[in-house]
Amino acid sequence: MKFTVAIDGPAAAGKGTISRAVAARFGFEHLDTGLLYRAVGMKGGDPVLSARSLVPADLARDDLRSLAAGQAASQVAALPEVRSALTAFQRDFARRDGGAVLDGRDIGTVICPDAEVKLFVTASAEIRARRRWLELGGEAAFETYDEVLAQVRERDDRDMNRSDAPLRPAVDAVMVDTSDMSIEDAVAFAVATVSARL
Ligand code: DC
């Protein structure tokens, strides 16, 4: 069976948690597409060549979740040749047998416009920055909350305003605003949406 769940939205809106939970619930494979761009950003050198020569070990680096990797990813992700080098891998993953969940920025709009389910997960910039700051260690974190908020805004701005595959909801995406939702409620909503289409 081929069944694709596309989950898009800005940084730290809850896409990752929702995607992993949906994949586990239905036995689908999950691809965090942000990791591809993070790996290209952290590999250094010419980003287009890096994207064309990405290998599994590049995705296993332990610094891919850092703020620096997020910023580097957002910069290389604005290059059309980087995006096109990563397209076939994502599309193949999406149509694998047994079902797939992909989370990112352009899954429902560009990578899988025919996905069976499209969710656009969002939350206010302040709430997303607070979640990311707490993930980084809160008061013990190297960055202050204000620095994290500035980076979230900068990344939103770059991701939404680039000319190639900008971050925006597909016209047929189901919107999920997690600002005032518990993660359990957000997951339950996503699971119910997928169940209804299966
Ligand atoms: O989801 P994330 O924070 O790991 O993504 C890091 C950056 O990669 C994000 O700021 C924009 C880019 N990205 C993208 O352009 N398209 C995707 N499908 C996933 C991520």
Side-chain angles (χ1 to χ4, degrees):
M1 177 208 55
K2 299 193 193 296
F3 191 94
T4 307
V5 182
I7 304 190
D8 291 304
K15 300 187 301 290
T17 309
I18 294 173
S19 301
R20 284 189 295 276
V22 167
R25 168 69 178 72
F26 296 101
F28 297 166
E29 290 293 326
H30 169 227
L31 178 65
D32 170 0
T33 64
L35 272 188
L36 303 174
Y37 295 92
R38 286 171 182 261
V40 172
M42 294 306 271
K43 213 168 159 178
D46 178 340
V48 177
L49 293 181
S50 297
R52 288 182 184 149
S53 60
L54 216 56
V55 291
D58 296 325
L59 301 175
R61 296 172 61 130
D62 57 11
D63 56 357
L64 295 184
R65 302 272 173 207
S66 65
L67 282 183
Q71 288 291 356
S74 171
Q75 283 169 13
V76 298
L79 303 171
E81 285 175 289
V82 166
R83 304 199 71 81
S84 63
L86 301 174
T87 299
F89 174 76
Q90 296 175 78
R91 287 194 177 140
D92 288 349
F93 189 97
R95 298 318 282 169
R96 66 197 292 141
D97 259 331
V101 181
L102 286 83
D103 74 270
R105 301 291 186 290
D106 64 337
I107 308 303
T109 50
V110 174
I111 302 293
C112 305
D114 298 327
E116 281 75 11
V117 176
K118 297 181 189 178
L119 296 174
F120 193 87
V121 182
T122 185
S124 73
E126 290 75 13
I127 287 190
R128 290 185 287 118
R130 186 165 175 76
R131 289 179 189 157
R132 189 45 60 88
W133 178 66
L134 289 173
E135 256 171 41
L136 292 168
E139 294 296 345
F142 182 63
E143 290 84 5
T144 65
Y145 164 77
D146 286 340
E147 283 164 348
V148 177
L149 177 60
Q151 295 216 21
V152 162
R153 289 201 168 121
E154 188 188 329
R155 205 132 74 85
D156 282 358
D157 187 54
R158 202 185 294 117
D159 294 347
M160 290 189 296
N161 294 309
R162 66 183 177 218
S163 52
D164 190 23
L167 169 65
R168 61 177 171 76
V171 284
D172 50 351
V174 176
M175 303 296 289
V176 190
D177 187 334
T178 65
S179 300
D180 300 316
M181 255 182 168
S182 69
I183 193 61
E184 291 78 15
D185 287 349
V187 166
F189 179 80
V191 165
T193 306
V194 175
S195 286
R197 311 257 171 107
L198 261 174

